[in-house]
Amino acid sequence: MSTARVLPAPLAKGDRIGIVTVSAPEPARNLDQFDHGVDALRGRGFEPVTAAHALGEHGYRAGSEAALLDDFHAFIADPEIAAVVCAGGGKNANRLLRGIDYALIAAHPKPIVGVSDPTVLLNAITARTGMPTFHGPAVLWDFGSADAPAATGDHFAAVLAGEAHSARIGAPLGWARPGTAQGHLVAGCLSSLRCLLGTVWEPDWSGAVLAWEDAFKPVEQLDQTLTHFRDRGVLDQISGMVVGELLGCEPSGGMGAQEMVMDLCAEYGFPIAFGLPFGHTPLKYTLPIGAEVLLDSTAEHGLTIASPWTATVAEGGMQ
């Protein structure tokens, strides 16, 4: 996949955003913060709509597979809903993979946004439909946080609106191995992406730029996971790697994450950058999975979105 086959319509102020829970019952257990997140989206000019089971509890999930899929598909099919945003995270979003109607999504292209565990669904959707999905803020943990940086919501709104300036990712990157790479973006929580290896929903790794992050995993566990990617042949195929800011990923045996990554990737020649704020960090950039990106250690902006990620763009935007 070098270019998207389907592009979602851009999001504009006044549009309705459907809020779904696809994994853990976090909204039900943090109702005040969820409500604050809904209010924050409304304050940015959107009209949030909460799915029927988004506030449910069904053991360690918000609902049964059927119920959560019904919520998701209802918002995809509803022409009045302009985008779908995940409420939070969890550990079992992959339970929904086999039930997702990928043809329905391709027929009703709209932005789908998630972070952490739900990114397993985002990458599967992009792999099966060619439509970019968006690794970005959650309603509960980002919009709902009193300490959320305004830049997180600003970039979310700009990317989903297709604004050209949002293609230039302003984060200063640390280059462990300089160089350039261009390819379609595969992005997400490493332990969530691992759930796609060997399945029919696995991303196309050929020439991809892999951006990954994780949280609260010791470095030895990250090594185990990244080694699985190596042994699956992923590292033989990608053109570049970006490691995000790792939250609570403590060194193991005195070895930190960067040292581990460079040791594991010593036999490969692709550029490797560290320090991109996305995923579990409060400040996060919204990244269009499936869009072409340029990774360049010599450029002012080390990471740039290089292809359209919405069907139309804001005035003055990328054509």
Side-chain angles (χ1 to χ4, degrees), residues 20 35 45 66 75 94 96 99 102 125 139 164 167-168 192 215-216 223 226 242-243 263 287:
V20 296
D35 288 343
F75 280 156
N94 62 325
L96 306 187
Y102 298 95
I125 288 167
V139 176
R168 300 181 291 275
S192 296
F216 309 113
D223 183 321
L226 196 59
V242 182
V243 182
D263 177 60
L287 305 177

Coordinates of all heavy atoms in Angstrom, one line a residue, residues 20 35 45 66 75 94 96 99 102 125 139 164 167-168 192 215-216 223 226 242-243 263 287:
V20 N -17.3 6.1 20.9 CA -17.5 4.7 21.1 C -16.5 4.2 22.2 O -15.4 4.8 22.3 CB -17.4 3.9 19.8 CG1 -18.5 4.2 18.9 CG2 -16.0 4.1 19.2
D35 N -17.2 12.9 31.1 CA -18.1 14.1 30.8 C -17.3 15.3 30.5 O -17.7 16.1 29.6 CB -19.0 14.3 32.0 CG -20.1 13.3 32.2 OD1 -20.4 12.5 31.2 OD2 -20.7 13.2 33.3
G45 N -16.2 23.2 19.3 CA -17.1 23.5 18.2 C -17.8 22.3 17.6 O -18.5 22.4 16.6
A66 N -20.9 -8.1 20.2 CA -22.1 -7.7 19.4 C -22.5 -6.3 19.7 O -22.7 -5.5 18.8 CB -23.2 -8.6 19.5
F75 N -22.6 4.2 14.0 CA -22.0 5.5 13.7 C -21.3 5.6 12.3 O -21.3 6.6 11.7 CB -20.9 5.9 14.8 CG -21.5 6.4 16.1 CD1 -20.8 6.3 17.3 CD2 -22.8 7.0 16.1 CE1 -21.4 6.8 18.5 CE2 -23.3 7.5 17.3 CZ -22.6 7.4 18.5
N94 N -9.0 -6.1 20.2 CA -8.8 -7.1 19.1 C -10.0 -8.1 19.1 O -10.2 -8.8 18.1 CB -7.5 -7.8 19.2 CG -7.3 -8.6 20.5 OD1 -7.8 -8.2 21.5 ND2 -6.6 -9.7 20.4
L96 N -12.9 -7.4 18.5 CA -13.8 -6.9 17.5 C -13.3 -7.1 16.1 O -14.1 -6.8 15.2 CB -14.1 -5.4 17.8 CG -14.5 -5.0 19.2 CD1 -14.9 -3.5 19.2 CD2 -15.7 -5.8 19.6
G99 N -15.4 -9.1 13.6 CA -16.7 -8.7 13.4 C -16.9 -7.3 12.7 O -18.0 -6.9 12.3
Y102 N -15.7 -4.1 7.2 CA -14.7 -3.3 6.5 C -15.3 -2.7 5.2 O -15.0 -1.6 4.8 CB -13.5 -4.1 6.2 CG -12.8 -4.6 7.5 CD1 -13.0 -5.9 8.0 CD2 -11.9 -3.7 8.2 CE1 -12.4 -6.3 9.1 CE2 -11.3 -4.2 9.4 CZ -11.6 -5.4 9.8 OH -11.0 -5.8 11.0
I125 N -8.2 -1.6 10.0 CA -9.1 -1.0 9.1 C -8.3 -0.4 7.9 O -8.7 -0.5 6.8 CB -9.9 0.1 9.8 CG1 -10.9 -0.5 10.8 CG2 -10.6 1.1 8.9 CD1 -11.5 0.5 11.8
V139 N -11.1 10.6 24.2 CA -12.0 11.5 24.8 C -11.7 11.5 26.3 O -11.7 12.6 26.9 CB -13.5 11.0 24.6 CG1 -14.5 11.9 25.4 CG2 -13.8 11.0 23.1
A164 N -3.1 22.1 5.8 CA -1.8 21.8 5.3 C -0.7 21.9 6.3 O 0.2 21.1 6.4 CB -1.5 22.6 4.1
A167 N 0.6 19.0 8.5 CA 1.5 17.9 7.9 C 2.9 18.0 8.4 O 3.6 17.0 8.4 CB 1.5 18.0 6.4
R168 N 3.3 19.2 8.9 CA 4.7 19.3 9.4 C 4.7 19.1 10.9 O 4.2 19.9 11.7 CB 5.2 20.7 9.1 CG 5.2 21.0 7.6 CD 5.7 22.4 7.2 NE 4.7 23.5 7.7 CZ 3.7 23.9 7.0 NH1 3.5 23.4 5.8 NH2 2.9 24.8 7.4
S192 N 0.0 -3.5 21.2 CA -1.3 -3.7 20.5 C -1.1 -4.1 19.0 O -1.7 -5.0 18.5 CB -2.1 -2.4 20.5 OG -2.4 -2.0 21.8
A215 N 3.7 1.8 27.0 CA 3.6 2.4 28.3 C 3.7 1.3 29.3 O 3.1 0.2 29.2 CB 2.3 3.2 28.5
F216 N 4.4 1.6 30.4 CA 4.4 0.7 31.6 C 4.9 -0.7 31.3 O 4.3 -1.7 31.8 CB 3.1 0.8 32.3 CG 2.6 2.2 32.6 CD1 1.5 2.6 31.9 CD2 3.3 3.0 33.4 CE1 1.0 3.9 32.2 CE2 2.9 4.3 33.6 CZ 1.7 4.8 33.0
D223 N 11.8 -5.5 24.4 CA 12.7 -6.3 23.6 C 12.0 -7.6 23.1 O 12.1 -7.9 21.9 CB 13.9 -6.7 24.5 CG 15.0 -7.5 23.7 OD1 14.6 -8.3 22.9 OD2 16.2 -7.2 24.0
L226 N 9.5 -6.5 20.3 CA 10.2 -6.0 19.1 C 10.9 -7.2 18.4 O 11.0 -7.2 17.2 CB 11.1 -4.9 19.4 CG 11.6 -4.0 18.2 CD1 10.4 -3.4 17.4 CD2 12.6 -2.9 18.7
V242 N 10.3 5.2 13.9 CA 10.2 6.3 14.9 C 9.7 5.7 16.2 O 8.6 5.1 16.2 CB 9.2 7.4 14.4 CG1 9.2 8.5 15.4 CG2 9.6 7.9 13.0
V243 N 10.5 5.9 17.2 CA 10.1 5.5 18.6 C 9.5 6.7 19.3 O 10.2 7.7 19.4 CB 11.3 4.8 19.3 CG1 10.8 4.3 20.7 CG2 11.9 3.7 18.5
D263 N 20.6 -2.0 19.6 CA 21.2 -3.4 19.6 C 20.4 -4.3 18.7 O 21.0 -5.1 17.9 CB 21.3 -3.9 21.0 CG 21.9 -5.3 21.1 OD1 23.0 -5.5 20.6 OD2 21.2 -6.2 21.6
L287 N -1.6 11.3 14.1 CA -0.9 10.8 12.9 C -1.9 10.0 12.1 O -2.6 9.1 12.5 CB 0.2 9.8 13.4 CG 1.2 10.4 14.4 CD1 2.2 9.4 14.8 CD2 1.9 11.6 13.8

